[in-house]
Amino acid sequence: MRKIIACLSFCACLAGCGESWNSPYPAGNAGRDILYTAFTDRPKHLDPAQSYTEDEATFTGQIYEPPLQYHYLKRPYQLVPATVEALPQPRFFAADGRELPADAPAGQIAESVYELRLKPGILYQPHPAFAVGADGQPLYLGKNAAEGRQRIADFPHTGSRELRADDYLYQLKRLAHPRLHSPIYGMMAEKIVGLKELGDRLRTVAKDLPDDAWIDLDDYPLSGVERVDAVTWRIRIHGKYPQFAYWLAMPFFAPVPREVDRFFAQPGMREKNLTLDWWPVGTGPYMLTENDPNRRMVLSRNPNFRGETYPCEGDPGDAEAGLLADCGKPLPFIEQAVFTREKEAIPYWNKFLQGYYDASGISSDSFDQAVRVNVGGDVALSDEMRDKGIELLTSVRTSTFYMGFNMQDGVVGGLAERQAKLRQAVSIALDQEEFISIFQNGRGIAAQGPIPPGIFGYEEGEAGINRVVYDWIDGKAVRKPVETARRLLAEAGYPNGRDARTGEPLVLNLDTTGGGMGDKSRLDWLTRQFAKIDIQLVVRTTDFNRFQEKLRKGAFQLFYLGWNADYPDPENFLFLLHGPEGRLQGGANSANYESPEYDRLFLQMKNMENTPERLRIIRRMNEMLRHDAPWVFGLHPKSYTLTHRWLKNRKPNDVGNNNLKYQRIDAADRARARREWNAPVVWPVLLGGLLLAAAVIPAVLGYRRRERAAVRKA
């Protein structure tokens, strides 16, 4: 009886406990400034010479520091110094070595020279590669360094040192390393003086060495990079390339010290994932202290991070949104970020609603629970979200998705008016607004050209519409009727979807992958769109490698692709249709579009500053693309993010990746909400206990009466 009462009392006590029964985190972490979030795809590369994907940038952006970064709050995006004292201003030189004025025509410029100078006192994170003994020699350099160790934490001693210009020079050489396969080597080899020659030299050297042999890059000069002194270096660029400044804000140009490269190149390291690709080393605000990419990854505050402060300026409305409240305070605010891998959307969503994740995207399964879309397309939080104090952050991403035509194909390709009208008809028939509504939950805007919002050259309203596909009616863009598409198709020689000369039906082939447009519902929708103008669509689904091979060989008619901005400049989108960039020549112009006039304008536009004249040229290029229609302009996706009220200073940013240092957690508010939202429901336990007691107590009393009666008889 006493045990039953004690059990019921224990349950009652638990109901008043401060911690939730179902919390997935240690009780002692409740009041700490720890960000809890999730990731779905494990990062493949964390080495700055190789890393290029968005899921990898989530980590590399917090650890590495390239020379430049983007202002966290200002839009359009603005470059600001990160580790250097000032934004570099290029100096221009003619082929004979003469320095040219800043306004010299691009055709006269043989080289541009960028000089960068480091801020003093920047230190690397603590790391065993920097640990030295009393004799000044590295502690962990030798053939047995990896023995008995599985993680960086298994090395008991660490050290650090100040950032030097040499570290940036070393990383630039790593871009040419033949065993790293840097995704930007080909592009940078055309831009950075001497990088191609260095790559050729290193490939020759690597052929004669074992696969695990270390190549000391200090032994191989890079002619286009000059060390001026310990904190200053110069980079020489072929011709004029203003976009190079944007590359200086990407992890590819972050520093890698020679001793770190040497440390990880030792025998036995690679077999235990003791590599820069697994354990990055940087000067940024965070360092990776736990790496189990199938379960959990943890970023912890770098104790050596310098005194950067929160910005005091932003866009109109930022102050009212509370985004300037931390003006001038030292960064970072969050001491640790815990990333848990979630392979399924529903568990991720439920943990967010319980307060165990601080932010979340919105999957299709949870969209209706999270937001409401009114008749006008405006989006608002549901009552359930508002009651929890959850906030909705939305932004149009600097991305473009499109369907392309093979401009070298005999049916859909070519610049003649007949083929252009065929492509225009398809552009009208494919109802992008309907696609966004059905398959994107309204999360996107129909593209009017290749340039997305947020990039110079994108224009809103009537000035920016694609007049081949839309009319401007009552203050908004309205897609032209299907009858217009049918008329254009007839003018192209295909009345009612049949070749006017042969009577054969018009059949077009779309090549796609399972990860592209290749799910059945989307393809069924697409087939119906073509059927509206009596075109028969044949879908040829294949694997990714085969799809890429078809693009390289031009063995296709239609395809779907997308492009995310590498940097916020129109050149980064308009080059996708530059003739010399054709996929058949190994470039990124998958449509193989070639227009002498467009190419001429592109070369004129790409080296210009953002002036009215540059905008005029971009408008002309857009009009050409809308008429020639090498793409069916699809959509610019919208990003919807939900954040709990205790996560502060969060602003959507599509090009800057080092955003964690600006964010702040109100840990006390979070702990209160978790207790409230996850309060244990103990009445079923109490009721069950009472019912058990009601059943057991009479039996116990009866048993005792029988025992006493038996004793008396004895």
Side-chain angles (χ1 to χ4, degrees):
M1 183 65 183
R2 286 195 298 271
K3 291 181 179 179
I4 294 173
I5 294 173
C7 181
L8 295 175
S9 300
F10 177 68
C11 291
C13 289
L14 282 179
C17 286
E19 296 296 331
S20 304
W21 292 4
N22 62 343
S23 176
Y25 310 121
N29 288 350
R32 295 176 59 191
D33 292 331
I34 299 176
L35 176 79
Y36 293 101
T37 186
F39 67 103
T40 55
D41 297 317
R42 56 176 291 175
K44 185 178 180 182
H45 293 295
L46 298 178
D47 184 328
Q50 298 174 284
S51 177
Y52 205 9
T53 66
E54 194 171 343
D55 54 290
E56 294 163 356
T58 300
F59 300 95
T60 58
Q62 325 315 320
I63 298 167
Y64 296 114
E65 287 192 296
L68 306 181
Q69 61 184 340
Y70 291 96
H71 194 287
Y72 182 55
L73 299 177
K74 290 184 178 180
R75 305 291 184 273
Y77 295 102
Q78 295 183 17
L79 286 171
V80 295
T83 61
V84 294
E85 292 181 340
L87 295 179
Q89 299 301 318
R91 297 164 60 197
F92 303 123
F93 294 86
D96 59 5
R98 288 181 300 107
E99 185 166 355
L100 300 172
D103 59 352
Q108 297 180 11
I109 298 172
E111 287 186 359
S112 305
V113 177
Y114 290 78
E115 182 170 299
L116 301 105
R117 184 174 180 84
L118 290 173
K119 297 174 182 176
I122 299 175
L123 297 176
Y124 281 99
Q125 67 186 66
H127 195 273
F130 301 120
V132 296
D135 58 357
Q137 297 302 308
L139 284 178
Y140 302 113
L141 200 58
K143 64 179 181 179
N144 298 321
E147 187 173 334
R149 297 181 171 107
Q150 299 294 330
R151 305 170 303 152
I152 289 298
D154 292 336
F155 294 86
H157 301 287
T158 62
S160 181
R161 71 160 172 81
E162 192 165 347
L163 176 66
R164 299 193 292 250
D166 288 331
D167 304 330
Y168 286 96
L169 272 61
Y170 196 86
Q171 167 62 5
L172 281 170
K173 293 180 181 180
R174 294 181 79 246
L175 299 179
H177 198 301
R179 292 173 182 165
L180 293 178
H181 306 290
S182 176
I184 69 161
Y185 167 70
M187 178 184 297
M188 287 299 113
E190 296 178 359
K191 304 296 183 185
I192 299 175
V193 173
L195 191 63
K196 182 181 184 303
E197 291 75 12
L198 175 62
D200 294 341
R201 173 67 175 140
L202 292 176
R203 277 192 296 274
T204 301
V205 170
K207 289 178 182 178
D208 300 326
L209 294 174
D211 289 344
D212 59 352
W214 179 58
I215 300 176
D216 187 350
L217 297 177
D218 278 352
D219 294 339
Y220 302 93
L222 174 55
S223 61
V225 179
E226 176 189 359
R227 179 188 187 274
V228 179
D229 56 41
V231 295
T232 311
W233 73 104
R234 296 189 185 115
I235 306 174
R236 292 160 52 209
I237 302 297
H238 289 296
K240 184 178 181 181
Y241 183 50
Q243 292 79 18
F244 184 69
Y246 295 119
W247 287 100
L248 292 174
M250 299 181 73
F252 295 113
F253 290 84
V256 170
R258 176 185 180 276
E259 54 263 55
V260 168
D261 193 36
R262 182 72 185 94
F263 171 84
F264 283 127
Q266 297 179 88
M269 291 285 195
R270 186 189 304 176
E271 291 75 13
K272 298 180 178 182
N273 283 327
L274 292 171
T275 66
L276 195 64
D277 219 18
W278 198 273
W279 295 105
V281 181
T283 62
Y286 293 95
M287 54 188 189
L288 189 65
T289 52
E290 185 176 336
N291 186 2
D292 182 354
N294 290 317
R295 188 182 66 89
R296 196 172 94 134
M297 300 177 70
V298 177
L299 291 171
S300 299
R301 183 186 287 153
N302 174 9
N304 296 337
F305 186 62
R306 67 188 186 282
E308 190 176 0
T309 58
Y310 190 86
C312 292
E313 297 179 347
D315 283 344
D318 282 350
E320 293 78 2
L323 289 169
L324 296 178
D326 288 319
C327 161
K329 294 181 180 178
L331 301 175
F333 299 113
I334 292 169
E335 63 174 283
Q336 199 171 73
V338 176
F339 297 80
T340 303
R341 190 172 187 191
E342 294 284 0
K343 298 180 181 180
E344 302 293 336
I346 297 302
Y348 187 173
W349 176 246
N350 288 336
K351 290 175 187 176
F352 170 73
L353 293 181
Q354 291 172 300
Y356 294 131
Y357 288 139
D358 298 313
S360 173
I362 309 176
S363 69
S364 298
D365 294 332
S366 55
F367 189 85
D368 292 337
Q369 184 181 359
V371 298
R372 299 285 182 266
V373 183
N374 63 25
V375 176
D378 295 327
V379 176
L381 283 168
S382 67
D383 293 340
E384 179 185 356
M385 300 298 108
R386 284 201 305 270
D387 291 344
K388 285 179 172 284
I390 291 172
E391 298 178 359
L392 174 65
L393 300 178
T394 66
S395 66
V396 180
R397 304 198 60 185
T398 51
S399 305
T400 298
F401 290 87
Y402 61 93
M403 188 183 79
F405 298 92
N406 181 3
M407 295 295 286
Q408 302 300 315
D409 181 75
V411 177
V412 300
L415 294 179
E417 196 67 15
R418 179 172 183 262
Q419 288 94 336
K421 288 185 176 182
L422 166 59
R423 297 189 296 269
Q424 291 172 8
V426 173
S427 297
I428 295 171
L430 268 60
D431 191 336
Q432 304 299 332
E433 290 79 10
E434 183 178 292
F435 180 88
I436 293 168
S437 175
I438 295 174
F439 298 105
Q440 300 288 119
N441 292 113
R443 288 177 285 186
I445 63 172
Q448 305 294 327
I451 302 174
I455 304 293
F456 183 82
Y458 176 85
E459 295 184 274
E460 296 183 346
E462 186 174 5
I465 70 167
N466 180 357
R467 293 193 176 275
V468 171
V469 178
Y470 292 88
D471 294 314
W472 188 257
I473 301 175
D474 296 331
K476 63 180 180 180
V478 178
R479 183 171 292 272
K480 291 181 184 291
V482 173
E483 288 71 22
T484 302
R486 286 179 169 276
R487 175 179 56 78
L488 287 169
L489 194 63
E491 293 173 2
Y494 299 99
N496 300 315
R498 290 184 174 273
D499 191 315
R501 293 170 296 183
T502 66
E504 294 293 323
L506 177 58
V507 180
L508 300 182
N509 299 308
L510 170 71
D511 285 282
T512 185
T513 65
M517 279 292 291
D519 86 19
K520 186 176 185 306
S521 58
R522 295 184 181 210
L523 293 175
D524 287 346
W525 175 86
L526 194 59
T527 302
R528 291 195 299 272
Q529 298 296 301
F530 277 87
K532 290 190 303 188
I533 54 175
D534 299 314
I535 296 177
Q536 298 179 31
L537 182 68
V538 175
V539 178
R540 304 188 297 200
T541 304
T542 185
D543 61 57
F544 179 78
N545 291 334
R546 175 62 179 153
F547 174 71
Q548 291 294 325
E549 183 181 359
K550 285 186 173 184
L551 292 184
R552 285 193 297 270
K553 293 182 177 180
F556 66 93
Q557 282 186 313
L558 306 173
F559 65 95
Y560 261 97
L561 280 179
W563 185 263
N564 299 320
D566 289 313
Y567 43 83
D569 190 88
E571 181 265 352
N572 193 229
F573 288 87
L574 296 175
F575 94 103
L576 296 170
L577 290 154
H578 184 214
E581 286 286 339
R583 184 62 74 99
L584 294 173
Q585 288 79 46
N589 177 2
S590 297
N592 297 306
Y593 175 65
E594 287 187 72
S595 165
E597 176 66 6
Y598 179 91
D599 292 344
R600 182 187 68 80
L601 292 172
F602 175 81
L603 293 175
Q604 182 181 351
M605 175 280 309
K606 73 171 188 174
N607 294 320
M608 297 177 68
E609 303 295 330
N610 290 337
T611 61
E613 175 63 14
R614 193 185 200 202
L615 180 60
R616 185 190 67 78
I617 295 172
I618 291 172
R619 284 173 175 165
R620 173 60 186 147
M621 295 171 73
N622 273 328
E623 289 306 310
M624 293 180 64
L625 294 176
R626 289 160 181 164
H627 173 271
D628 293 345
W631 290 0
V632 175
F633 301 114
L635 62 95
H636 308 300
K638 279 186 178 179
S639 173
Y640 284 23
T641 303
L642 298 174
T643 65
H644 283 296
R645 63 183 187 243
W646 55 76
L647 181 55
K648 311 295 184 181
N649 300 338
R650 186 115 169 179
K651 185 172 182 177
N653 190 329
D654 284 336
V655 297
N657 299 311
N658 60 342
N659 303 328
L660 181 60
K661 63 185 177 183
Y662 302 104
Q663 298 173 44
R664 179 167 57 82
I665 293 285
D666 185 340
D669 185 23
R670 178 173 62 188
R672 286 191 298 269
R674 285 179 178 175
R675 287 195 297 269
E676 176 186 343
W677 299 344
N678 300 282
V681 181
V682 298
W683 68 262
V685 178
L686 295 173
L687 179 59
L690 291 173
L691 293 174
L692 178 62
V696 171
I697 289 173
V700 171
L701 294 176
Y703 172 76
R704 289 183 175 179
R705 283 196 298 269
R706 289 193 297 274
E707 286 292 308
R708 286 195 293 270
V711 170
R712 285 195 296 271
K713 289 179 181 179

